[in-house]
Amino acid sequence: MRLLMIEDEERLATALSRGLRGEGYAVDVAHDGREGLDLAQTHPYSALILDIMLPGLNGYAVCGRLRAAGSTLPILMLTAKNGEYDEAEALDTGADDYLSKPFSYVVLLARLRALLRRGGAVRPAVLRVGDLWLDPAARRCRRGDVPVRLTAREFAVLECLARRPDEAVAKIDIIDAVWDQAFDGDVNIVEVYVRALRRKLDLPFGRSTIQTVRGAGYRLSARDA
């Protein structure tokens, strides 16, 4: 999953993004509200971690503008302000959850998983493609009743395909969804993960679920799933 963090405290942003990447998330970071709003409006993020006290635009304004534009992006607000009126304003502006600084990193991860499990208004919490089942928040996958163990990156590539079943998904779209904006490698890295997914999800079950669409990318087929 690709996350956006808008946080102007660079040490905190660096520590949190390093930890989240270690959990398998791709994380983009913005340090002011205007840059963050632009990123949130132009990239397919799974969730937004949003500070309130930001230069440019504060978190309330960022959240309000996203909701006014129709965005259903799950938003977790972080702030040093911990009064009940601040929490009420955050929720009234459109945030889905609220966490006051200082906070426990373990609690932040749990709150984030809960947001991802609920998803936005148009993002199902559990993905099913035929007998293939994915729970993005818990990072669980199974084929029928058989659990399948995937690395964090393998799961993210599979999730990208599962959110668009029976569609041809271009490599660059997979890169955009799974890797963060700092990625400057070869898009053919996607092939490595697709091969790994086929070894785990298709070959043991006699399937050809993940199909190559020549010149277009890859398709997760519900018909052969």
Side-chain angles (χ1 to χ4, degrees):
M1 290 185 181
R2 187 172 178 183
L3 308 177
L4 173 62
M5 181 188 306
I6 310 177
E7 169 59 68
D8 66 330
E9 294 183 38
E10 293 195 17
R11 291 180 63 183
L12 176 60
T14 298
L16 285 180
S17 59
R18 183 182 297 120
L20 290 167
R21 288 176 183 129
E23 296 290 331
Y25 298 103
V27 186
D28 291 343
V29 178
H31 297 298
D32 70 76
R34 294 189 186 280
E35 178 192 4
L37 178 63
D38 181 63
L39 288 172
Q41 292 175 325
T42 55
H43 294 284
Y45 294 107
S46 296
L48 168 60
I49 300 172
L50 175 64
D51 189 26
I52 289 180
M53 303 301 290
L54 293 167
L57 288 174
N58 66 33
Y60 297 132
V62 172
C63 184
R65 293 191 187 188
L66 286 172
R67 295 305 188 227
S71 172
T72 59
L73 177 67
I75 297 175
L76 173 63
M77 277 197 173
L78 302 180
T79 181
K81 303 174 72 175
N82 59 6
E84 60 184 13
Y85 292 104
D86 300 312
E87 180 174 356
E89 185 173 357
L91 297 174
D92 287 342
T93 305
D96 297 282
D97 202 355
Y98 181 101
L99 196 57
S100 297
K101 302 175 183 176
F103 54 82
S104 160
Y105 178 67
V106 172
V107 172
L108 181 142
L109 284 177
R111 295 280 186 92
L112 182 59
R113 287 194 299 269
L115 279 185
L116 294 170
R117 190 177 297 114
R118 292 197 297 270
V122 295
R123 292 175 66 88
V126 174
L127 304 174
R128 292 183 175 89
V129 183
D131 69 346
L132 187 62
W133 179 94
L134 290 84
D135 181 343
R139 300 285 176 82
R140 295 194 182 101
C141 173
R142 68 173 186 252
R143 168 77 77 187
D145 294 328
V146 181
V148 180
R149 296 187 64 179
L150 302 175
T151 68
R153 192 77 74 185
E154 290 166 356
F155 192 99
V157 171
L158 180 61
E159 181 190 350
C160 179
L161 296 173
R163 291 196 181 277
R164 296 169 59 180
D166 288 319
E167 291 185 32
V169 184
K171 291 179 183 178
I172 192 63
D173 290 341
I174 297 172
I175 290 289
D176 195 44
V178 175
W179 280 263
D180 59 43
Q181 64 184 145
F183 178 80
D184 61 357
D186 190 335
V187 296
N188 290 324
I189 188 65
V190 174
E191 296 177 8
V192 175
Y193 289 95
V194 168
R195 285 197 298 269
L197 287 170
R198 285 170 170 160
R199 286 195 301 269
K200 294 181 178 182
L201 292 170
D202 282 352
L203 290 178
F205 300 93
R207 307 293 182 86
S208 56
T209 304
I210 305 174
Q211 302 169 352
T212 300
V213 183
R214 191 171 300 278
Y218 298 99
R219 177 194 297 123
L220 183 62
S221 173
R223 289 181 293 275
D224 196 33

